[in-house]
Amino acid sequence: MHIPVLLNEVIKYLNPQANENFIDATCGEGGHSLKILQYNGPLGKVLGIETDKELYLRLKQKNIPRLILVNDSYVNLQNIIKENNFSPVNGIIFDLGVCSWHLDESERGFTFQKDEPLDMRFDTNNSLTAAEIINFWPEKELERIIRDYGEERYARRISHAIIEARRKERIVSTFQLIDILKKVLPKNYENHRIHFATRTFQALRIAVNHELENIEKGVKEAINVLDENGRIVVISFHSLEDRIIKNIFKEAEKEGKLKILTKKPIQPTLEEIKNNHRAHSAKLRAAQKI
Ligand SMILES: C[S@@+](CC[C@H](N)C(=O)[O-])C[C@H]1O[C@@H](n2cnc3c(N)ncnc32)[C@H](O)[C@@H]1O
C-alpha cells in the first residue's frame, strides 16, 4: 500500500479551498489527489498526470468523481492544460520519485532487493532501459552518470567492473548488477549507512527517465501556468532534485513571480518516518505565485 508522504504538510501549503482546481503532476496511486478532493468540493477538480500507463489505468478504473486523469508526462503541462480546458490553476503538487507499487509490484528492477529485469522505466513506451545503459553505453558515460546522478565516489571503479563483466555475458538482471557491485565496493560501504547499490540504482533510474531535465522543465512550466496566488508544492527525495527546486524557486522569486513559503525545506517527523520508510529522505518546498 502506498502511503502519501507529508500529506498534512501538502494540504497546509496547497491550502485547497471550495471549488478551486489543482494539478497533481505525479498522480501515482492518487494519495495526494484524493486528499485534495476532500477540500475542494463541490465543484473543484483535480487534474492528475501520470506517465506510467499501468498506474494510470489502475487509478482510472476507480472512476473517482472530479478527478481528471491523463496518461502523459508533466513536461507537457501546458498542452495538457489546454487540451483539458483546465483553468484557473490554483495549485500544483509534484511528489517525485517512485511509488510503492513500482518497488513492490512493477517487476521493472526499481529495487535492489528483488531479482528483476534491469528496466527502470516509468513510461514503458520509451526505448531506453537500464539494461541498455549497462550493456551498451561507453565506460566514460557510465562513469559520468554514476558519479553525477548517483553522487557515487566509486563511479570509476564501478563503471570499469561493469565493462569487464559485460564482455563475458549480458547483464540483464538486478542481481547480476548487485554481484558486480559487491565485488568492487568496500565491505563497510559508507559505514553501512546505505546499501552499497543505492547510489548506482539511483543514477540509472535518473538517466533512464531523464528525471533531472524533466523536473527542471516541469516545475518551471508549473510556475508559469499557476493562477495569481496559486500554490506550488514539490516533494523531492535526494539532494540533486532538491537543489534544482531550490534554485528554480529562488530565481522565480528574484524575478518577482513567486513568494517562497518555506525558507528551509520541510522534513517528515520521526513518527512519519517510522510508519513510512519511503518518507525518510523527503523534503518539501512550497511557494505562492504573485
Ligand atoms: C512518488 S509517486 C507519486 C505518489 C502519489 N503522490 C500518491 O500519493 O499516490 C511519483 C509518480 O510520478 C510518476 N512520474 C515520474 N515521472 C513523471 C513524469 N515526467 N510525468 C508524470 N508522472 C511522472 C511516477 O510514475 C510515479 O508514479
Side-chain angles (χ1 to χ4, degrees):
M1 234 291 281
H2 184 88
I3 311 171
V5 169
L6 290 165
L7 192 53
N8 294 333
E9 292 80 356
V10 166
I11 294 301
K12 174 179 165 191
Y13 286 103
L14 275 185
N15 191 18
Q17 302 294 317
N19 304 328
E20 285 190 328
N21 289 329
F22 292 85
I23 295 180
D24 185 346
T26 53
C27 197
E29 297 179 62
H32 290 109
S33 289
L34 287 176
K35 193 72 183 175
I36 297 167
L37 287 165
Q38 291 176 6
Y39 291 85
N40 72 339
L43 297 173
K45 293 181 184 135
V46 172
L47 175 66
I49 305 171
E50 173 53 58
T51 197
D52 189 314
K53 189 151 199 180
E54 274 190 68
L55 268 180
Y56 156 82
L57 288 173
R58 276 163 62 97
L59 199 56
K60 182 109 185 135
Q61 264 183 2
K62 297 190 181 160
N63 275 322
I64 297 163
R66 297 187 288 115
L67 176 62
I68 302 162
L69 280 175
V70 179
N71 179 212
D72 201 338
S73 165
Y74 59 65
V75 296
N76 303 319
L77 202 56
Q78 234 149 20
N79 273 344
I80 297 171
I81 289 173
K82 225 188 268 161
E83 276 167 18
N84 289 277
N85 242 327
F86 196 80
S87 85
V89 181
N90 302 110
I92 304 187
I93 168 162
F94 289 81
D95 174 19
L96 304 168
V98 289
C99 279
S100 311
W101 178 85
H102 284 117
L103 304 173
D104 301 339
E105 293 177 55
S106 74
E107 300 182 358
R108 293 187 213 145
F110 284 105
T111 167
F112 40 77
Q113 297 186 349
K114 293 198 275 182
D115 197 12
E116 292 177 352
L118 274 170
D119 183 324
M120 297 198 194
R121 288 172 298 177
F122 289 135
D123 178 356
T124 50
N125 285 320
N126 292 336
S127 55
L128 183 64
T129 63
E132 171 89 15
I133 294 178
I134 291 285
N135 288 288
F136 298 107
W137 278 21
E139 184 169 345
K140 281 280 160 230
E141 273 299 281
L142 267 178
E143 183 185 331
R144 179 185 67 80
I145 62 161
I146 297 171
R147 187 190 55 235
D148 293 354
Y149 297 164
E151 299 187 285
E152 169 59 87
R153 70 161 112 159
Y154 300 108
R156 175 174 290 186
R157 223 192 255 192
I158 293 171
S159 52
H160 189 70
I162 290 171
I163 303 294
E164 290 294 307
R166 79 188 190 189
R167 286 211 178 99
K168 296 181 200 122
E169 61 173 353
R170 271 278 178 96
I171 304 159
V172 292
S173 74
T174 47
F175 278 13
Q176 273 178 289
L177 180 58
I178 299 275
D179 279 345
I180 297 166
L181 296 177
K182 201 188 260 169
K183 282 186 199 135
V184 293
L185 291 173
K187 291 273 170 294
N188 66 340
Y189 180 85
E190 296 199 13
N191 287 323
H192 306 286
R193 208 176 44 80
I194 55 171
H195 187 282
F196 59 84
T198 308
R199 293 179 180 283
T200 304
F201 270 59
Q202 172 180 309
L204 286 167
R205 206 195 76 204
I206 291 176
V208 164
N209 297 293
H210 306 288
E211 290 180 34
L212 302 184
E213 298 96 300
N214 287 353
I215 292 169
E216 174 122 23
K217 188 154 183 248
V219 172
K220 281 183 177 165
E221 242 182 60
I223 294 171
N224 286 334
V225 301
L226 267 182
D227 204 45
E228 205 180 311
N229 296 325
R231 286 78 67 193
I232 175 165
V233 171
V234 186
I235 304 174
S236 62
F237 290 87
H238 53 77
S239 55
L240 295 170
E241 290 176 341
D242 185 54
R243 205 173 306 147
I244 293 174
I245 313 304
K246 186 170 96 182
N247 290 337
I248 296 176
F249 278 13
K250 265 196 184 160
E251 195 61 31
E253 192 170 55
K254 251 200 253 157
E255 291 168 4
K257 287 188 194 164
L258 211 61
K259 177 179 171 356
I260 295 173
L261 303 175
T262 48
K263 281 226 150 32
K264 286 211 173 114
I266 310 291
Q267 289 179 275
T269 58
L270 287 176
E271 187 65 20
E272 175 168 358
I273 297 171
K274 224 169 42 188
N275 293 326
N276 182 13
H277 181 69
R278 204 180 75 82
H280 81 279
S281 55
K283 284 189 177 161
L284 178 153
R285 291 186 187 268
Q288 183 159 20
K289 185 84 175 268
I290 292 173

